[in-house]
Amino acid sequence: MCHFSQRSTILSFPKICNILWRFHHTSISQMCSCSKTISDEKYQDPFQLGRKDLKNLYEDIKKELLISTAELREMCEYYFDGKGKAFRPMIVVLMARACNIHHNNSREMQASQRSVAIIAEMIHTASLVHDDVIDDANSRRGKMTVNQIWGERKAVLAGDFILSAASVALARIGNTTIISVLTQVIEDLVRGEFLQLGSKENENERFAHYLEKTFKKTASLIANSCKAVSILGCPDPKVHEIAYQYGKNVGIAFQLIDDVLDFTSCADHLGKPTAADLKLGLATGPVLFACRQFPEMNAMIMRRFSKPGDVERARKYVLQSDGVQQTTYLAQRYCHEATREISKLRPSPEREALIQLTEMVLLRDK
């Protein structure tokens, strides 16, 4: 089993393709035996199990946004309407309970662990507000973006304010290790955005660049939030690494599937425009895999799909290739690795829910 760690971005693209070929030609049921051993009696719905810990999540976030200005309050609360998936805080509370049970069979979750879930959602939402400004996006979660309604300058300030409120909540936890772990997320988000602004000419470097960007922009938040709650609940560094590796692998898989849905889902269902990445000049997994079958896409990638007709041609090539399929296989690999990691913890309903969550990541359609 090839271990896709953060360092795995140094794998050559041909080697990744070879690994995926072997993965595809091995029984999926055999490869995913860890998750498939969950019987009907043992099955845990992650969202049902984590619901009690996430009750009033968005109300508690709004309490952190102590704003006297009505317009700024409305902007900051715009995405905290309870209609999001709450995917990140869900993982965090389940990981917290799984680690607590593993350590001393504690069935209680610490207030500081729940605070990490709140902070993770706030950091994520602030990054969405800023991303929409950078991308000049006009829709998010099926409604207009903050920047479209209030303008770019005010949107940037709203994102900054949410981030500052998350920093205050983080400081209130009073643990310097946790502060260090979660501030790494903010650094990674910025570095990931800079990586997205650049591109590589060499095919191998291009795929490594893509995976590194994916880790920093998406997976780092999940990985480090999981690590943070494990530190708060258990003193064992091995458990901290398990939590981190689970979050990292699930996070990368989540983004890979997101990149697939950009080509396979309709805009109304997805809640945002399709082929959005191509329009932004971004070559994601499906494009990079398709490029192996259609080398003429290399020129389009290097000019960031800027010529008239590039976006439509590139989308056509992707759908004619096995790019979507190969990206999905790669996501399966990461999910399998996440399952392998979390299975090292003591059995618990929360551990089984985290295993089930890896399957939900692969099967989601929006």
Side-chain angles (χ1 to χ4, degrees):
M1 175 66 67
C2 172
H3 179 61
F4 283 109
S5 68
Q6 184 179 351
R7 297 182 300 275
S8 69
T9 54
I10 63 172
L11 280 176
S12 69
F13 190 34
K15 187 177 289 187
I16 289 174
C17 292
N18 183 50
I19 289 169
L20 293 180
W21 184 89
R22 285 189 280 114
F23 174 66
H24 178 46
H25 288 79
T26 305
S27 165
I28 297 298
S29 60
Q30 178 186 342
M31 294 292 288
C32 299
S33 58
C34 293
S35 59
K36 293 302 182 183
T37 56
I38 304 174
S39 64
D40 290 339
E41 293 76 20
K42 209 174 177 184
Y43 171 84
Q44 297 290 342
D45 181 346
F47 289 89
Q48 189 67 36
L49 194 61
R51 187 167 293 164
K52 60 182 180 292
D53 294 320
L54 296 182
K55 186 179 179 182
N56 301 323
L57 171 76
Y58 293 105
E59 287 78 1
D60 291 341
I61 288 175
K62 289 174 184 178
K63 289 176 185 176
E64 297 289 346
L65 301 170
L66 299 174
I67 311 166
S68 57
T69 307
E71 185 181 38
L72 182 57
R73 184 189 311 114
E74 188 180 0
M75 291 168 66
C76 290
E77 293 181 356
Y78 186 67
Y79 288 135
F80 298 122
D81 57 4
K83 295 180 182 178
K85 294 184 283 289
F87 176 74
R88 290 154 188 82
M90 180 65 61
I91 290 181
V92 173
V93 297
L94 291 174
M95 182 62 74
R97 287 191 174 275
C99 290
N100 294 352
I101 292 170
H102 177 82
H103 174 50
N104 58 10
N105 209 29
S106 171
R107 300 285 165 174
E108 298 300 317
M109 186 170 66
Q110 301 171 31
S112 58
Q113 290 176 313
R114 187 175 183 276
S115 292
V116 171
I118 290 173
I119 292 163
E121 186 68 0
M122 292 175 76
I123 293 174
H124 170 60
T125 303
S127 74
L128 295 184
V129 175
H130 284 160
D131 277 357
D132 288 343
V133 172
I134 292 169
D135 300 341
D136 193 27
N138 54 30
S139 65
R140 165 82 64 180
R141 295 176 179 172
K143 60 183 185 180
M144 290 178 69
T145 55
V146 171
N147 49 292
Q148 286 293 314
I149 298 173
W150 287 281
E152 289 186 357
R153 292 183 181 181
K154 289 182 178 179
V156 170
L157 295 174
D160 290 346
F161 192 90
I162 295 169
L163 201 55
S164 70
S167 299
V168 172
L170 177 57
R172 201 182 302 127
I173 292 176
N175 184 312
T176 55
T177 302
I178 302 304
I179 292 172
S180 178
V181 168
L182 290 180
T183 51
Q184 181 64 48
V185 173
I186 300 172
E187 177 184 330
D188 285 343
L189 282 167
V190 175
R191 290 183 181 275
E193 196 62 54
F194 268 93
L195 284 170
Q196 184 163 286
L197 293 173
S199 59
K200 297 289 183 180
E201 190 166 348
N202 178 274
E203 187 182 79
N204 293 337
E205 290 181 0
R206 192 185 291 154
F207 205 86
H209 184 93
Y210 165 67
L211 288 179
E212 185 180 3
K213 181 268 295 182
T214 297
F215 169 77
K216 291 186 182 301
K217 282 202 64 177
T218 303
S220 174
L221 174 61
I222 301 173
N224 284 296
S225 298
C226 285
K227 182 179 181 179
V229 292
S230 75
I231 292 170
L232 290 167
C234 177
D236 187 353
K238 292 180 181 177
V239 173
H240 307 163
E241 184 64 13
I242 289 168
Y244 178 88
Q245 290 296 334
Y246 173 87
K248 182 201 66 182
N249 282 285
V250 165
I252 293 175
F254 184 92
Q255 186 58 50
L256 289 171
I257 295 300
D258 210 56
D259 293 344
V260 164
L261 292 174
D262 197 41
F263 289 95
T264 61
S265 186
C266 67
D268 288 343
H269 192 61
L270 204 57
K272 55 186 178 182
T274 55
D277 291 327
L278 287 176
K279 293 168 187 173
L280 292 170
L282 305 178
T284 57
V287 174
L288 297 176
F289 279 115
C291 194
R292 288 175 60 84
Q293 292 172 261
F294 297 98
E296 54 267 41
M297 292 181 71
N298 273 301
M300 286 190 278
I301 291 172
M302 290 312 299
R303 61 177 178 256
R304 298 178 75 89
F305 313 103
S306 58
K307 283 190 176 182
D310 275 359
V311 170
E312 292 75 16
R313 282 177 60 212
R315 189 170 189 275
K316 181 180 177 183
Y317 284 141
V318 168
L319 296 177
Q320 287 177 349
S321 73
D322 63 357
V324 164
Q325 189 180 37
Q326 291 294 333
T327 306
T328 303
Y329 291 156
L330 185 56
Q332 288 173 339
R333 288 286 302 192
Y334 279 107
C335 281
H336 180 72
E337 184 61 26
T339 297
R340 192 182 73 84
E341 287 290 339
I342 201 66
S343 296
K344 297 174 183 176
L345 295 185
R346 178 189 296 185
S348 67
E350 286 78 11
R351 189 196 77 165
E352 302 309 319
L354 287 167
I355 292 173
Q356 183 62 31
L357 203 61
T358 65
E359 296 188 13
M360 294 174 69
V361 164
L362 294 172
L363 295 174
R364 72 189 185 96
D365 57 3
K366 63 179 180 179

